[in-house]
Structures are given as C-alpha cells and as structure tokens.
Amino acid sequence: MELIILKSTIKAAIAEQANALVSLSDRVNDDYANAAELMFACKGRVIISGMGKSGLIGKKIAATLASTGTRSFFMHPAEAYHGDLGMVRYDQYADLLVLISYSGETDEVLKLIPPLKRFGNKIIAITGGLDSTLARNADVVLDASVASEICPHNLAPTTSTTAALVIGDALAVALMKLRDFQPEEFANYHPGGSLGRRLLTRVKDMMVSDNLPFVQPDSSMSSVIVAMTESRTGLALVTEGDLLRGVITDGDLRRYLLDHKSLEDVFAKDLMSEHPVCINADAMLVEAESLMKDKHIKWLVALNKDEKVVGLLEWAV
C-alpha cells in the first residue's frame, strides 16, 4: 500500500508541474520576445544572477546559453556586491543582466540594481513578483509566477524553479533560432565525448584504409573468402581498375550456399551486389552513421572525389 501511495504522490507532483508549465506557456507575451531580442542584440555577455535555488537554476541557464552560442556566465549576487561587479562591462560592449528572484525582493539581488543602473546595464527579471522591487527596476519582466509549489507546505522552491528553468531554456532556443545556430557550431562548444566526436569527425578520420578486401570480378570464391577473412570485415570489394563494381558480404555467401549447396564455378561477379551503399570520405561521421542506421548495414564504403575506394567505415553500436 505504501508503494502505491508513493507512486501516486510522485505522479501527481509531476502532473502538477506539467500543468504549471502549460499555464506558463499561455502567458507568454511580447515581453518574452523583447527579452530574446535584447539578449541577441547584446554586444557584451549575458550574465545570470540569482540567490539560493534561483542561483542554481541561473547556473544551468548560463551553461545552456554559453553552449548554444550566447556568451554567458553566472555571477553570484553576494560575491558581486563584494567585488565581482568588476567583471561587468558597461562600455560600448555592455553586458546584459538576467536577475532571477521568485519574490522579486531577494535582498542580495536587489543590492545589485543601483550599481547596474548607474553603469547603464540592461536588466531582465525572471520573477513571480510582478509588482516587486525587482520588476519595477527591470527593463523587461518575465512572468514566472506559479499557483503554488508542489511542496506539501508550499514552501520549498519546486514548481517555481522549474518555471524559471523552462523560461531560460526557451530563451536559449529562441536565440538559437535568431542566430541560425547549427549542429556544427554546437559541436565546436562540445569537442569532448561522443557528441563532439560524431559532429566534428569525418569519415576519413575513422575509416579502415589498410588491407582492404579487394577482389576482381572474375575472382574465385575461395579468393573472395580469403580476402574477407584476412581483412576481418566479413565482406569483399569487387573492383575493376580503380572503380568499384560491387560488394559481397558473408551473408551473401551463406544465402547462396543455402540455395545452391556449392561455390564451385562461381565467381565474384556472380554474387556481388552491384549498387553498394557508399559515402564520400570527407563526409561527416554523423552523416555516415545516420546512413548506416537507415540502411541497416555494418560496413560503409568510403570513396574519394574520383569515386575510388579509399576505405571502409564500421558501424560502432
């Protein structure tokens, strides 16, 4: 029974947050578009600041913006008031400040307003307090209000922090649209790990180019099997001169033997598939992987600009 109650509680909490986000989307107005345009036009950096849980959300928003083409970082409001305001630019490359406070009355955040006003920096407020001190002093106010927190005592920031996070993500997506931000650019900011490898690496960087299993159209099947075995690819490349004529896989061999029982007097040209799937060696790895997935193949033939076979790319599951 306890498990059923816990499951019901968790499900209700998720549903309540989902409903709050639907309500939030219904309240999106011109202020949101104005905020995105203000961030897009900023010649400096977009600096996010918030205290406590809002600060944690601010760090994530700053990280998302930075990874999607908007120069951004998080600044702790208390540290800013004690010297880190020196990081803020206010010349012709003035920074834009996004201040997060659900109440709009967070003391550490409000202390930043006078110097920022004096510097002339623009302020975007993400707040639930639309009549708050923060809202009154911001250039653009984004309504992040929620009916209540999912906390049973309506105390712990839960639904409100989710709303602030979603607003930050939505602004990042809008800026990506404005910048026509492409996957290649995303990869430039994520060079590490599998994501960077897939988006920055080309086929020629990963393909096998040595000991390729070349055979001739009139090669015997014993020669084909030797080529397959020595290359450890399970296929043979049937070429004539420098041009690829077809491919034979170990599956082709098995299927032929099931029907004919013998490979005697059979040549490579008799079993080869004449239109193998190929890709240019300069193509991006992500394109090759997508092609191999769509065609359900383990190996992909790589060609140079002259249509000559230069390698084989193995599907890395």
Side-chain angles (χ1 to χ4, degrees):
M1 180 63 70
E2 185 176 331
L3 286 177
I4 295 175
I5 294 174
L6 289 174
K7 180 180 176 181
S8 176
T9 300
I10 293 169
K11 186 175 181 179
I14 293 173
E16 188 175 334
Q17 294 221 45
N19 291 334
L21 294 180
V22 171
S23 175
L24 177 65
S25 69
D26 291 338
R27 299 198 309 273
V28 171
N29 54 23
D30 290 346
D31 290 334
Y32 282 82
N34 292 336
E37 290 182 342
L38 202 59
M39 295 167 76
F40 180 67
C42 176
K43 294 182 179 180
R45 291 82 48 86
V46 175
I47 303 176
I48 317 294
S49 190
M51 195 70 188
K53 305 297 188 297
S54 292
L56 296 175
I57 295 299
K59 289 180 180 180
K60 193 277 178 183
I61 294 174
T64 299
L65 289 170
S67 69
T68 53
T70 298
R71 289 172 295 173
S72 179
F73 66 90
F74 175 80
M75 182 175 67
H76 194 286
E79 297 295 337
Y81 194 66
H82 290 277
D84 280 1
L85 274 173
M87 296 189 294
V88 180
R89 295 193 63 164
Y90 51 89
D91 51 15
Q92 67 269 31
Y93 299 104
D95 296 326
L96 170 69
L97 277 293
V98 177
L99 304 183
I100 307 172
S101 168
Y102 186 72
S103 67
E105 300 294 346
T106 305
D107 185 59
E108 293 86 350
V109 174
L110 296 185
K111 285 181 177 179
L112 301 182
I113 294 175
L116 293 176
K117 289 287 188 180
R118 187 165 61 251
F119 295 159
N121 296 89
K122 298 290 186 180
I123 298 173
I124 295 174
I126 298 179
T127 181
L130 302 184
D131 295 321
S132 65
T133 304
L134 175 58
R136 290 195 300 271
N137 286 277
D139 295 280
V140 178
V141 179
L142 301 182
D143 180 4
S145 60
V146 296
S148 63
E149 306 287 1
I150 58 170
C151 165
H153 306 296
N154 195 28
L155 294 174
T158 46
T159 312
S160 60
T161 48
T162 299
L165 179 61
V166 168
I167 289 172
D169 286 343
L171 289 173
V173 170
L175 288 166
M176 291 173 71
K177 291 279 189 181
L178 286 171
R179 290 195 171 88
D180 191 25
F181 194 76
Q182 297 300 312
E184 292 77 15
E185 297 173 84
F186 189 78
N188 287 332
Y189 299 123
H190 298 76
S194 60
L195 178 64
R197 184 186 71 85
R198 289 176 62 246
L199 293 176
L200 292 176
T201 306
R202 297 186 183 277
V203 171
K204 63 184 179 184
D205 299 322
M206 300 297 294
M207 69 185 187
V208 175
S209 56
D210 297 326
N211 194 32
L212 295 176
F214 290 120
V215 297
Q216 300 296 312
D218 57 356
S219 294
S220 66
M221 294 316 298
S222 60
S223 298
V224 170
I225 293 172
V226 169
M228 286 182 174
T229 304
E230 290 182 345
S231 68
R232 299 183 179 181
T233 59
L235 56 79
L237 302 169
V238 185
T239 58
E240 193 169 25
D242 289 335
L243 297 179
L244 180 67
R245 295 303 184 192
V247 167
I248 303 172
T249 68
D250 53 4
D252 293 328
L253 285 175
R254 289 194 298 271
R255 285 186 290 273
Y256 186 87
L257 282 171
L258 285 173
D259 292 336
H260 300 84
K261 309 302 181 184
S262 173
L263 293 173
E264 188 176 355
D265 297 326
V266 179
F267 300 97
K269 62 185 177 182
D270 300 322
L271 261 70
M272 70 181 187
S273 299
E274 295 186 359
H275 303 287
V277 181
C278 303
I279 196 168
N280 191 283
D282 287 321
M284 302 305 296
L285 182 62
V286 65
E287 178 186 347
E289 290 182 344
S290 177
L291 180 61
M292 295 169 81
K293 183 178 180 180
D294 290 343
K295 299 295 183 181
H296 305 287
I297 55 177
K298 182 181 178 181
W299 290 92
L300 184 61
V301 181
L303 307 176
N304 64 12
K305 62 179 181 179
D306 298 320
E307 300 295 310
K308 180 180 178 181
V309 177
V310 291
L312 284 170
L313 180 68
E314 184 178 13
W315 169 248
V317 180

